[in-house]
Amino acid sequence: MLMPNQVQRPPRMLSSAQPIQQLYIPSGRPLVILNGSTNGNLQPLYQRVRPLLQEGLAAWAARRGAVVITGGTNAGIFAVLGQGFARYGRPMACIGVAVAQLVQPPPEGVALEPNHTHMLLTEGQHWGAEVYAMYALAAAYGPPAHSLTIVVGGGPNTLRELEYCAAQGGRMLVVEGSGGVADALLDSLSGQRSGEERLQRLAHTAQIYRINLHAPPHVLQVLLDALMR
């Protein structure tokens, strides 16, 4: 098991034109995509979701040899998950997908999360430009029946990511109580929210599961094992 202060190899940098076949990642592994909040003002959320993402998702991904795709930055839920990989070991691959121009050392930009194994840097001028590449990568790796998108909070870019996920026939595991798009989508699913057409469309077309923010980490692991057989 890798300890938090153990020196690790830097992630491999990739171009957006590089085929996934060149990544030398074994096929047939469970694929998890993590979407959601990175806003620096949401530290209480990141503290609350830490057990679920670290003792739950990170430990499970390392045990199962999964492939994980995230937004790749050292911010928000991606930083929390990366710290989990430092504790429990890396999965088969953890690929961060980010906009090259916006990845800069703070305070000019946002640093890359150091516990990812690969980084795919895309063209673009703003956050959200990487969404297409993220889900194109997921689609190239394998069929949606072998993948799952986990949603924690999130804003407009997260909603776009979920629309790509649904368009590919992907499944979503939404963390209830994490705020943002996650809770708004669950409200739409239960009929508590109306008038937001994009959320309503997702609620009616996507395959959605839920887990509470305060669920014990082993519950997430059991759920992942059941969904990713």
Side-chain angles (χ1 to χ4, degrees):
M1 182 175 73
L2 296 175
M3 301 304 293
N5 60 349
Q6 187 170 346
V7 176
Q8 301 185 33
R9 293 176 299 164
R12 181 180 173 190
M13 307 301 287
L14 310 168
S15 74
S16 58
Q18 188 168 9
I20 193 168
Q21 291 81 3
Q22 295 182 20
L23 305 188
Y24 305 106
I25 299 171
S27 61
R29 303 282 181 164
L31 172 63
V32 174
I33 305 159
L34 180 63
N35 293 151
S37 295
T38 57
N39 190 306
N41 296 324
L42 298 176
Q43 293 304 320
L45 168 63
Y46 307 141
Q47 289 296 326
R48 290 195 298 271
V49 80
R50 186 178 302 274
L52 213 57
L53 291 183
Q54 294 186 359
E55 299 163 39
L57 176 57
W60 176 88
R63 171 173 61 85
R64 287 289 303 269
V67 174
V68 180
I69 299 175
T70 82
T73 56
N74 197 25
I77 60 172
F78 308 140
V80 173
L81 181 64
Q83 293 159 13
F85 291 144
R87 291 179 61 190
Y88 295 103
R90 286 172 168 173
M92 175 58 63
C94 185
I95 308 169
V97 184
V99 179
Q101 184 170 311
L102 302 179
V103 175
Q104 303 286 341
E108 289 79 12
V110 182
L112 294 174
E113 202 290 315
N115 295 292
H116 285 59
T117 60
H118 301 74
M119 288 291 175
L120 175 62
L121 301 182
T122 72
E123 297 179 351
Q125 306 293 323
H126 55 83
W127 294 116
E130 76 282 7
V131 173
Y132 172 80
M134 176 181 288
Y135 276 90
L137 185 67
Y141 183 72
H146 296 160
S147 68
L148 182 71
T149 291
I150 297 180
V151 190
V152 182
N157 288 336
T158 302
L159 180 56
R160 287 188 61 212
E161 290 165 339
L162 299 186
E163 288 172 332
Y164 272 97
C165 174
Q168 293 179 357
R171 302 171 298 169
M172 306 171 193
L173 177 59
V174 181
V175 178
E176 182 179 23
S178 61
V181 166
D183 282 352
L185 178 57
L186 292 178
D187 286 347
S188 294
L189 189 64
S190 61
Q192 298 178 32
R193 183 182 293 249
S194 60
E196 299 185 25
E197 184 177 339
R198 294 169 68 190
L199 287 170
Q200 292 286 335
R201 188 182 305 116
L202 273 177
H204 284 92
T205 60
Q207 189 173 353
I208 300 171
Y209 303 87
R210 72 175 74 198
I211 185 169
N212 190 272
L213 176 66
H214 301 292
H218 77 270
V219 172
L220 175 59
Q221 293 204 18
V222 169
L223 184 55
L224 289 171
D225 279 333
L227 292 173
M228 308 292 278
R229 290 176 179 172

